[in-house]
Amino acid sequence: MARATVIRKNAAELRVAPNLRDLDAERAAFSWDAARRELQGLPGGGLNIAHEAVDRHASGPRAAHVALRWLAASGGVRAISYAELAGAVNRFANLLRGLGVAKGDAVFVLCGRIPELYAAVLGALKCGAVVAPLFSAFGPQPLKTRVNLGRGKVLVTTASLYERRVKKVAGEMPTLEHVLQVDGADFRRMFDSSPAEFEIEKTVPEDPSFLHFTSGTTGMPKGAVHVHGAVVAHHATGKYALDLHPEDVFWCTADPGWITGTSYGIVAPLAHGVTSIVDEAEFDAERWYRILQDERVTVWYTAPTAIRLLMKAGAGIARQFRFPQLRFVASVGEPLNPEAVWWGKEVLGLPIHDNWWQTETGGIMIANTPAMDVKPGSMGKPLPGIEACIVHRKNSGIEIVGNDDVEGELALRAGWPSMFRGYLGEEARYRKCFADGLYLTGDLARRDADGYYWFVGRADDVIKSAGHLIGPFEVESVLMEHPAVAEAGVIGKPDPVVGEIVKAFVSLKAGFVPAEELKMQLLAHARKRLGAAVAPKEIAFAAQLPRTRSGKIMRRLLKARELGLPEGDLSTLEGPT
Ligand code: 6R9
């Protein structure tokens, strides 16, 4: 089939009138103050995410509307109304306050996608606590690192995750005062006896709300600090980029351990008072098509990895299902190949709408919105309230690129409400992200003559596997713990399904011999320490790893060699390799 380079849209033909009809006009008229006025605010002033997400609906006409439809991995379904959610959130908040959790304390959540996770996150926000949701796939090591960096006071988890992930490092997290196992009898008793009314902490827009860890190339994970004011951006982007309307059934497939699963799996849909699908199970092509069909999903937000897996599963499975309710599909996390955009059109009847953002931006910045023509392969255009540009870093500062179609670093004018307010304990690292009032994203991109942005690559070595950022350093550190390992260098190796897989190059200490059995041992060690999501999938032995003169492992060179690409500038390479 011949494929045009642009998918034309006609707003009048869309089944539901889009919230954003004319991007330029809306951009011109937009102000963040006006966006804030679409929310309620706390009685007597202040702003709290949980109030906007739950309480204002629970105390209004949407009290009986379904907030969450939870699909258990075992097959059961539980519909939770806004009023019921408010009760559970308040019980959780009372319970936490009873344990001494006060404004500014850190509450970590390590749960699968179960209803208690939502009550815990929102309950902690109502207490004024800072919430750090973690992937349940994290092994003990990443868990411990993060809890200690964030000075976690309470960890909310389940009995089985406690056994598998927490127990081994329970004594190595000195700030933790309480570990709650939400499926345990003790917890149940405390929860059930907690009142369903709660006096919300009077938070203001600049009070911290979430702590999301993101991976850097060097050093430990960075804790990006977000604030309650971010809800203004979650609401606005839910309206513009996801086109949420009151009767929508919305499904964000991301886990809340990834910021997408918090900003758009919890906050934005609830702030709009819509029904959100929460699936406890992991990806399965047939299950996902069935959910889209049986739950009558209208707006779907997913990721390129998932779309590639669906493509791989074949059109045969898709043809067993029908999606007449589905009206908008969006994706984030990695470049979305044009092929995937077209696949959407053919199999779901709708193109996939790519959008771009980061843990640091807190919410969607650049998007293909429903009424906009889509150029497959492009991330779209900056949303109202967002000013983007392409810059070049110079010794003397930065230079904004005026011309179209020039590659450079993507930058955003600082000041949107969901912008991160710091990297925990790393003021200098935070400041380095800004210059001349711009936030520098670390992504390379270009803008075309129509104002569409195109992703080019990342400016660093961070690996994006199945949509998740993995810092090579964290993986290398764990490999180095093994008695046989002298040094380790970790890269992302392109993979048609998950984008990149984690590949490790390892040199051995004297007395150890490269052998298949040792490789298996290293893989098992890494998996145990890091969890399957972060551990390398491939390991190769090398006599020596290439290093710069300053001692940094040259991951760029490992990668070039792995892929048979030019080795580039080797002037900083140390010695023979
Ligand atoms: C939300 C999220 C951020 C990094 C970002 C970029 C990559 C995200 C993308 C994309 C190409 C897109 N990324 N969206 N690359 N096209 N539409 O993903 O946050 O986990 O912090 O990752 O992901 O490299 O800088 P986070």
Side-chain angles (χ1 to χ4, degrees), residues 78-108:
R78 214 168 112 194
I80 302 167
S81 70
Y82 277 91
E84 285 165 316
L85 182 61
V89 167
N90 285 346
R91 286 203 156 89
F92 222 116
N94 277 311
L95 192 155
L96 290 171
R97 197 175 265 172
L99 293 174
V101 172
K103 196 167 173 177
D105 286 340
V107 173
F108 278 69

Side-chain angles (χ1 to χ4, degrees), residues 404-475:
D404 300 324
D405 297 315
V406 178
E407 274 178 26
E409 186 169 356
L410 177 62
L412 305 165
R413 174 81 39 211
W416 67 96
S418 64
M419 190 177 85
F420 71 136
R421 298 300 198 271
Y423 286 128
L424 202 66
E426 295 187 273
E427 181 55 29
R429 204 171 186 179
Y430 180 68
R431 269 200 315 260
K432 262 179 69 183
C433 298
F434 298 86
D436 298 348
L438 294 172
Y439 162 65
L440 307 171
T441 67
D443 277 356
L444 304 175
R446 65 187 164 80
R447 180 193 58 236
D448 71 16
D450 299 320
Y452 285 71
Y453 281 76
W454 299 75
F455 182 79
V456 173
R458 292 185 59 89
D460 59 22
D461 299 333
V462 176
I463 300 162
K464 194 106 208 211
S465 186
H468 305 306
L469 288 181
I470 297 172
F473 183 76
E474 206 179 5
V475 180

Side-chain angles (χ1 to χ4, degrees), residues 214 258-260 332-335 354-360 379 443 455 458 464 467 469:
T214 177
W258 179 26
I259 192 163
T260 306
V332 70
E334 294 164 79
D354 190 16
N355 59 50
W356 176 96
W357 57 290
Q358 302 177 309
T359 300
E360 286 83 348
M379 316 190 281
D443 277 356
F455 182 79
R458 292 185 59 89
K464 194 106 208 211
L469 288 181

Side-chain angles (χ1 to χ4, degrees), residues 313-337:
I317 302 188
R319 267 190 239 107
Q320 299 164 22
F321 300 91
R322 295 280 173 275
F323 323 103
Q325 276 81 17
L326 195 62
R327 65 174 184 85
F328 187 65
V329 182
S331 153
V332 70
E334 294 164 79
L336 184 71
N337 344 52

Side-chain angles (χ1 to χ4, degrees), residues 173-470:
M173 297 181 282
T175 57
L176 264 192
E177 291 177 16
H178 303 278
V179 178
L180 303 175
Q181 298 180 22
V182 293
D183 45 0
D186 285 349
F187 175 84
R188 259 297 128 201
R189 225 173 298 120
M190 285 198 290
F191 183 81
D192 289 341
S193 63
S194 295
E197 267 81 51
F198 179 80
E199 199 183 323
I200 193 165
E201 184 72 36
K202 298 261 179 282
T203 48
V204 297
E206 284 303 307
D207 281 333
S209 56
F210 284 106
L211 177 61
H212 275 285
F213 290 92
T214 177
S215 299
T217 16
T218 54
M220 286 295 143
K222 304 175 273 187
V225 179
H226 288 276
V227 295
H228 279 274
V231 68
V232 177
H234 296 140
H235 185 264
T237 52
K239 169 175 156 184
Y240 293 133
L242 301 174
D243 198 40
L244 293 176
H245 284 64
E247 295 315 309
D248 273 322
V249 176
F250 173 69
W251 183 23
C252 169
T253 59
D255 186 275
W258 179 26
I259 192 163
T260 306
T262 334
S263 294
Y264 297 99
I266 305 180
V267 182
L270 295 179
H272 277 269
V274 304
T275 298
S276 238
I277 302 295
V278 175
D279 183 25
E280 184 188 14
E282 293 309 315
F283 175 87
D284 174 84
E286 195 176 327
R287 180 177 174 99
W288 278 31
Y289 285 128
R290 192 177 302 285
I291 292 173
L292 287 174
Q293 170 185 282
D294 292 358
E295 296 299 328
R296 303 164 150 258
V297 172
T298 57
V299 178
W300 192 35
Y301 195 24
T302 188
T305 295
I307 292 166
R308 286 192 293 264
L309 286 170
L310 289 177
M311 291 168 76
K312 206 174 149 193
I317 302 188
R319 267 190 239 107
Q320 299 164 22
F321 300 91
R322 295 280 173 275
F323 323 103
Q325 276 81 17
L326 195 62
R327 65 174 184 85
F328 187 65
V329 182
S331 153
V332 70
E334 294 164 79
L336 184 71
N337 344 52
E339 208 48 43
V341 177
W342 288 106
W343 171 87
K345 201 147 167 50
E346 282 151 28
V347 173
L348 304 173
L350 301 161
I352 317 276
H353 293 72
D354 190 16
N355 59 50
W356 176 96
W357 57 290
Q358 302 177 309
T359 300
E360 286 83 348
T361 72
I364 303 171
M365 300 283 109
I366 296 180
N368 287 286
T369 60
M372 231 171 91
D373 292 343
V374 172
K375 298 192 185 187
S378 159
M379 316 190 281
K381 294 184 179 186
L383 289 174
I386 304 303
E387 257 184 74
C389 59
I390 301 292
V391 303
H392 287 157
R393 295 194 192 212
K394 301 274 164 178
N395 283 338
S396 53
I398 56 154
E399 182 184 277
I400 297 184
V401 175
N403 294 341
D404 300 324
D405 297 315
V406 178
E407 274 178 26
E409 186 169 356
L410 177 62
L412 305 165
R413 174 81 39 211
W416 67 96
S418 64
M419 190 177 85
F420 71 136
R421 298 300 198 271
Y423 286 128
L424 202 66
E426 295 187 273
E427 181 55 29
R429 204 171 186 179
Y430 180 68
R431 269 200 315 260
K432 262 179 69 183
C433 298
F434 298 86
D436 298 348
L438 294 172
Y439 162 65
L440 307 171
T441 67
D443 277 356
L444 304 175
R446 65 187 164 80
R447 180 193 58 236
D448 71 16
D450 299 320
Y452 285 71
Y453 281 76
W454 299 75
F455 182 79
V456 173
R458 292 185 59 89
D460 59 22
D461 299 333
V462 176
I463 300 162
K464 194 106 208 211
S465 186
H468 305 306
L469 288 181
I470 297 172

